[in-house]
Amino acid sequence: MLRVAVVGSGPSGVYTAQSLIQQDPEVLVDVLDRLPCPYGLVRYGVAPDHEKIKSLQQNLRAVLEDERVRFLGGVEVGAGGVPVARLRELYHAVVYCVGAAADRRLGIPGEELPGSWSATEFVSWYSAHPDAVGAGFLTGVRSAVVIGVGNVAVDVTRILARGAAELSPTDMPQAALTALSASGITDIHMVGRRGPSQARFTTKELRELGGLPDTGMIVDEAELALDAAYADPSGLPAAQRRNVEVLRGWTALPRRDARRRIRLRFFLRPVELLAGEGRVGAVRFERTAPDGHGGITGTGRYEEIEAQLVLRSVGYLGVPLEGLPFAPERGTVPHLAGRVLRAGAVAPGEYVAGWIKRGPTGVIGTNRPCAKETVTSLLEDAPALLRKSVPEDVLPLLRAAGAEPVGWDGWLAIERAEAELGASLGRGVVKLPDWEALRAALGPGTSR
């Protein structure tokens, strides 16, 4: 009987488990996660007001509740946890689905100023990730700049603009809801260094910005027109063409008075964050222009945008996992059809899926074929892998390696605590905000 460990309980990890049990009627799968909560970025990355996408948790849940799949939270793998080499001894195969945990940086002066954050840090805060750093994102903020024009940039822009009535029905932690409800932000600038036809947001996400209550959308047609495809979008792929059409419609709207204004800016490249009163006070941008070859070039003209909050949303990077090979230039683990490569040779029994395999590309659904490719490789290797003897019960061995496994009943206890917290606040389910609250919810009666 094949025993497989999947490291990571986000979409790529759960889809890997699903593909395994669908293709092998006898395989047993342990899904490991360092958090006591499953679902990865679906729980801690999808915006709380995107209930349809968050409902994907129910599909992932069905896999984790299968009798041949076991969720083991609280298991750190690598530095400070179960060594990769030890994990390999405990299972016939290990599939690493650990995502891309780091943010790309701008690499410009002033990036370390107070008030300058990655979008991921902000998302972690309003999503109640237990590792979220600090608070005070919104204290004293009148104007915010979001650098980037992908879907994450749209998400944080939309959350900054929403009011209490729209956010209260979500599972957002109470402290974040209170801070966002009391926010004094009046202007949010979402800025891209290229033109509207090259923006990475999807049309659905873009349209949502235009439908926010008491929020005005401002776009500058002269700025949009710097993109040749804006004047004639007929040659663009369908998705980009729809984006341009939405933006063209907004230029015809009156600039109505509103509680908040979202300003979409293009062809501006950040060159410096400027200090003001001990924190970021403005962002200095250089005007860019198309270079005629699909890229951009600087024009030597500059402008400054006031901002007491700067959120950079310019992509993710994979980080090394101690004990696994790593290609820093790509931020991925070297592999061949999902098989981990060590010094160019296939490492028996080690596999990757998701962003750590292919880089931070695609949408949630992209993880399905990615996982299937890896599982196909793994099952092709199964006859050789089964020659190795592995323990029947890994739990005491994981504990001996320093882990404190939290089983599915532990997760159910956290779910109950979040429902009770929400009821006490007159809301629906409300996420527990930190490690202390999660540990308290587990209590002595749940498996570890």
Side-chain angles (χ1 to χ4, degrees):
M1 182 180 297
L2 188 66
R3 296 178 181 271
V4 180
V6 174
V7 181
S9 66
S12 64
V14 177
Y15 290 150
T16 296
Q18 183 180 47
S19 189
L20 280 165
I21 62 175
Q22 286 176 342
Q23 296 187 55
D24 185 331
E26 295 187 342
V27 67
L28 297 177
V29 184
D30 283 349
V31 178
L32 314 180
D33 202 294
R34 71 181 189 87
L35 300 180
C37 310
Y39 312 135
L41 282 179
V42 177
R43 175 173 168 89
Y44 289 119
V46 173
D49 60 339
H50 272 179
E51 294 182 8
K52 184 175 181 180
I53 301 175
K54 288 178 73 68
S55 68
L56 176 62
Q57 291 183 18
Q58 298 308 312
N59 297 336
L60 303 182
R61 184 189 195 97
V63 177
L64 293 174
E65 289 183 330
D66 188 278
E67 62 182 7
R68 290 183 293 140
V69 177
R70 178 169 59 173
F71 173 71
L72 296 176
V75 180
E76 180 89 48
V77 175
V82 182
V84 163
R86 180 58 174 151
L87 197 63
R88 179 70 187 88
E89 293 170 351
L90 301 180
Y91 295 89
H92 292 114
V94 182
V95 187
Y96 294 92
C97 306
V98 293
D103 295 276
R104 292 186 181 275
R105 300 186 63 80
L106 299 172
I108 60 176
E111 194 168 3
E112 302 299 332
L113 284 168
S116 169
W117 305 85
S118 72
T120 299
E121 290 172 314
F122 186 62
V123 170
S124 293
W125 170 69
Y126 69 60
S127 297
H129 194 290
D131 291 337
V133 293
F137 286 94
L138 307 176
T139 304
V141 177
R142 301 179 304 276
S143 176
V145 166
V146 179
I147 298 174
V149 284
N151 278 347
V152 175
V154 174
D155 279 348
V156 298
T157 296
R158 189 182 65 254
I159 293 296
L160 284 170
R162 282 213 185 273
E166 303 133 68
L167 294 175
S168 184
T170 74
D171 62 4
M172 180 178 286
Q174 187 66 27
L177 174 64
T178 299
L180 284 161
S181 301
S183 167
I185 291 178
T186 57
D187 290 276
I188 307 160
H189 309 258
M190 189 170 75
V191 187
R193 61 191 180 93
R194 297 189 179 193
S197 70
Q198 297 168 309
R200 298 292 185 91
F201 44 60
T202 57
T203 308
K204 178 180 179 296
E205 294 263 3
L206 181 63
R207 283 181 176 142
E208 280 186 285
L209 292 180
L212 296 175
D214 202 18
T215 300
M217 291 299 307
I218 299 175
V219 291
D220 184 340
E221 187 161 25
E223 192 169 75
L224 298 174
L226 296 172
D227 187 342
Y230 175 78
D232 180 14
S234 60
L236 292 173
Q240 283 74 30
R241 186 171 65 250
R242 289 192 295 268
N243 287 344
V244 169
E245 288 168 354
V246 171
L247 293 169
R248 288 165 70 96
W250 284 346
T251 63
L253 295 175
R255 295 187 177 184
R256 56 189 171 89
D257 291 334
R259 178 175 61 95
R260 288 186 176 136
R261 295 169 293 276
I262 296 174
R263 304 172 188 268
L264 267 60
R265 304 294 308 276
F266 297 95
F267 291 112
L268 290 172
R269 176 169 58 197
V271 295
E272 185 177 5
L273 304 190
L274 305 174
E277 300 179 359
R279 62 183 294 167
V280 65
V283 185
R284 191 169 192 239
F285 290 93
E286 181 183 17
R287 169 67 65 192
T288 62
D291 64 4
H293 305 287
I296 54 168
T297 185
T299 65
R301 293 183 286 117
Y302 299 89
E303 71 172 86
E304 295 176 8
I305 298 177
E306 178 193 355
Q308 297 79 39
L309 171 67
V310 176
L311 300 174
R312 67 177 185 275
S313 180
V314 291
Y316 300 94
L317 283 173
V319 296
L321 181 64
E322 185 178 272
L324 275 187
F326 189 70
E329 68 281 0
R330 292 179 51 83
T332 58
V333 171
H335 71 94
L336 179 63
R339 298 177 175 94
V340 171
L341 298 176
R342 292 182 179 271
V346 169
E350 294 183 306
Y351 304 85
V352 285
W355 279 3
I356 199 63
K357 170 187 174 184
R358 68 181 190 274
T361 60
V363 295
I364 290 174
T366 310
N367 290 296
R368 283 187 181 275
C370 176
K372 186 175 181 180
E373 178 190 55
T374 295
V375 168
T376 298
S377 295
L378 190 160
L379 294 179
E380 287 174 357
D381 301 341
L385 298 174
L386 282 166
R387 297 189 191 114
K388 183 178 77 171
S389 177
V390 299
E392 287 288 323
D393 184 7
V394 301
L395 285 180
L397 299 172
L398 289 173
R399 292 190 182 102
E404 296 183 15
V406 174
W408 192 250
D409 58 341
W411 162 239
L412 295 179
I414 290 172
E415 280 194 319
R416 288 193 296 271
E418 293 185 334
E420 291 167 3
L421 175 60
S424 72
L425 296 168
R427 298 173 58 195
V429 170
V430 173
K431 284 182 183 172
L432 299 177
D434 50 37
W435 280 108
E436 182 180 4
L438 291 171
R439 292 184 180 114
L442 288 172
T446 54
S447 70
R448 289 176 177 266

